Structure formats: C-alpha cells, structure tokens
Amino acid sequence: MRITLPAYPPFSLPMVIRSHGWIQLAPFAGEEPYETFTYLDRLQSGRVVLLRVEPEGDGVCVTADGDLTEAEQAEVADKVRWMVGLDRDLALFYAVAQDEPKLAHVIAQARGRILRSPTLFEDTVKTILTTNTAWSGTIRMAQALVELYGEPLPGDDTRRAFPTPERLAETDVEDLRQTARLGYRAPYVGELARRVATGDLDLEALKTADLPTPALRQELLAIKGVGGYAVANLLLLLGRPDFIPIDSYAFKMVSNEFYGGAPVGPKEVEAAFARWGEWKGMAYWFWDWS
DNA sequence: GGTAGACCTGGACGC
DNA sequence: GCGTCCAGGTCTACC
C-alpha cells in the first residue's frame, strides 16, 4: 500500500519529526538526522501495520506492507494527516513571528508543526510519562508499555503497537507500577485508560472540539496526573498554544535568556513571553535560545 | 489562594 | 556493592 498526501504549505517533514522528543518514544522509530520515521499502528480492524512516512513533493507518502482495505487506507491517511499536521495553516503564527529575530528561523525552515501520536489518548499517556522524571525515564516507560501490552506486528514480535485503552484498563495497576515501572504514575494511567475504555471520557473528540481553550484546558486538567505543565503540553499538541509548558527546563532557559542567570519562577517565564499572547506557547517552543 | 510534603525511579556520588 | 542524595511535576492536606 502506498498513499500520497499533500500538505498545507510551507511544510517540512524533517522539521516536524525534530520538533520534540516524541520520535524517540515507541512505537515511533527513526534514525538521526530524522528525515523520515516509522510508526507501528493498530488499526480499528485489529490489523497491526508498520507505517513508513517519507517526504514526497510538497507533502508525504505513507507505505505499508500488504493490501489494505479502502476503510483501512482512509484510516491511515486520517491518522498521518493528524500526526504530522498536514492540514495546519500557520500563516497567523508566521505573521506575528516575522519581525522577531529569535523566531525568524520558523518561517525560513517551515517549522511550527509538532509531531503527534495518532490518538490523544496516547499523547496524554506519554505526557504523563514525561512528568517528574528524566527523559530517559520517559523513553523507558513508553517502551515498557508497548513491549508489555502492545499488539505485535505479525511475523515480528520485536515491534508492537501502543496499547489500546481497553488493554491498559484491564491491566492491574500494580502490574503497571512494578512490571512497567511507571511508579506512582500507574494509577493515573490506569484510571485514564478506564475512563476512555468505558466511554466516560471521549478524548479523541477533544481533538476537533469547538470548545474555547479555557474550557478545553479544564477538561484536560480534570485528568488525574495532568497538571499545569502537562495541560500546556497537550494544548500545544492540539494547536492551542495559549499556555507555556513550564518545567525545570523552562526555568533554566528563561533565566539565562531574559534574567541574566538569576533564579526565576512561573511568573517570570510567563512575563518573558506575555507579548506573544495566544501564540506564547509556540513562541516559547520554537524560540532560538542563546 | 498559597504552601509543604509525599509520591517513585534512575543516576550520580561517596564510602 | 551498598547507602544516600537529588532531579523531575502533580496531588492532597492544611493554613
């Protein structure tokens, strides 16, 4: 199967892949300098396929082994469109960024899209896995979830899909805690999986919900384990860059860039990017730090 | 509304 | 090899 998908210009697949660390989290895979990537996906039909995404023309081409049904091909196309943001129009961001030397590179390099998982469920779990741990810990925990609970690629047990909400919901929390080594995050992931699996929380609907950003933020903050940093990260992924994902990295970078190395808190980080208004999350994310 | 302490793991460090 | 300390966000209890 081979599908060609156009992108809203300007577009650069390598810049999407390099937009943050998601490419290092299973079931994503890629090799530096990250010109292309693969993703192991479980389709709604239950079929597990390895998707290879590469630049082609003004967009991307997606290939997978075997013949997919029309419905499966449509699902793959929808997912890849979402993952690399093919439909995103960044003209408004570029308009506010064009006079800022620290953001000039985003226009020149067609940056501004951020790599996403196919489901908001997966991105929310992974965001929870980024909290209160080193990046190596996030990589390890994501890998463990995939290895322990993901469905394998037929003929290759070494590659597995991200586990479904149903699979994680039926997994004992102690197993998540001690076998997957999620630590105190285990009950957060378990509860999120149960809420999504039972239909109590329709996370995927939030991807296209016509909600004002403050209301969307409240919905996400109601998820146990999602606090101020995590919700800003998720809003950024959802194309709502009104908030800055303030973590210890933000304190360090903002301190050096704007406050001469003096200790800073959330207020100082917010103040440094306040002039970017509804774009401040993007301005922070793509800032060309000194 | 603000703050302190607990949560859990892996890595760095000292012995 | 073992013990201790620390970094990393969120939650809960308390003021």
Side-chain angles (χ1 to χ4, degrees):
Chain A
M1 179 217 76
R2 186 173 190 282
I3 307 173
T4 301
L5 299 169
Y8 199 100
F11 175 80
S12 163
L13 180 63
M15 288 304 154
V16 180
I17 302 172
R18 298 169 201 164
S19 58
H20 65 156
W22 254 213
I23 185 63
Q24 297 175 41
L25 303 182
F28 280 105
E31 288 184 13
E32 292 189 79
Y34 297 131
E35 302 282 342
T36 68
F37 73 91
T38 65
Y39 180 85
L40 200 76
D41 192 32
R42 180 192 183 279
L43 303 176
Q44 286 179 9
S45 61
R47 188 171 185 170
V48 177
V49 291
L50 178 64
L51 305 177
R52 290 177 289 272
V53 182
E54 302 166 299
E56 179 165 303
D58 296 330
V60 301
C61 86
V62 189
T63 55
D65 293 332
D67 293 324
L68 271 61
T69 66
E70 276 191 28
E72 288 172 334
Q73 289 189 40
E75 182 183 345
V76 166
D78 283 346
K79 284 178 168 174
V80 172
R81 249 184 233 111
W82 171 261
M83 290 163 79
V84 300
L86 292 176
D87 296 337
R88 286 208 70 188
D89 177 5
L90 294 165
L92 291 176
F93 176 55
Y94 290 164
V96 301
Q98 64 180 350
D99 294 328
E100 170 54 61
K102 291 286 188 175
L103 291 174
H105 67 288
V106 299
I107 305 169
Q109 300 174 9
R111 300 188 75 186
R113 292 173 173 87
I114 301 177
L115 185 63
R116 304 183 271 212
S117 305
T119 66
L120 187 55
F121 171 72
E122 182 177 331
D123 274 340
T124 305
V125 171
K126 285 177 171 175
T127 297
I128 291 173
L129 300 187
T130 67
T131 60
N132 207 24
T133 187
W135 179 243
S136 60
T138 303
I139 293 174
R140 174 188 55 75
M141 288 185 270
Q143 185 69 34
L145 288 182
V146 168
E147 282 181 4
L148 291 165
Y149 315 115
E151 290 191 33
L153 181 68
D156 182 2
D157 275 3
T158 65
R159 294 212 65 177
R160 291 173 179 267
F162 195 80
T164 62
E166 291 75 15
R167 180 69 182 86
L168 290 180
E170 70 188 23
T171 301
D172 187 68
V173 169
E174 282 311 301
D175 202 36
L176 291 174
R177 188 192 304 270
Q178 295 180 12
T179 309
R181 305 202 73 72
L182 301 193
Y184 71 93
R185 301 167 197 82
Y188 300 155
V189 171
E191 182 179 323
L192 175 63
R194 273 191 301 279
R195 289 187 63 198
V196 172
T198 60
D200 175 49
L201 175 64
D202 188 357
L203 263 186
E204 303 317 311
L206 296 182
K207 288 155 75 174
T208 53
D210 191 22
L211 277 175
T213 300
L216 180 57
R217 182 171 181 269
Q218 286 309 311
E219 289 265 345
L220 293 168
L221 277 173
I223 298 169
K224 284 274 180 66
V226 172
Y229 155 80
V231 78
N233 192 59
L234 289 171
L235 287 172
L236 202 51
L237 290 175
L238 288 169
R240 312 268 196 134
D242 308 47
F243 297 88
I244 299 171
I246 300 175
D247 56 5
S248 54
Y249 176 81
F251 293 142
K252 188 172 79 175
M253 301 310 284
V254 169
S255 166
N256 289 333
E257 185 85 6
F258 299 99
Y259 296 92
V264 301
K267 284 179 186 171
E268 287 76 18
V269 176
E270 288 288 340
F273 286 90
R275 69 189 172 102
W276 300 101
E278 62 182 319
W279 295 102
K280 63 174 176 276
M282 294 270 280
Y284 165 79
W285 197 261
F286 291 102
W287 196 256
D288 185 17
W289 302 99
S290 301

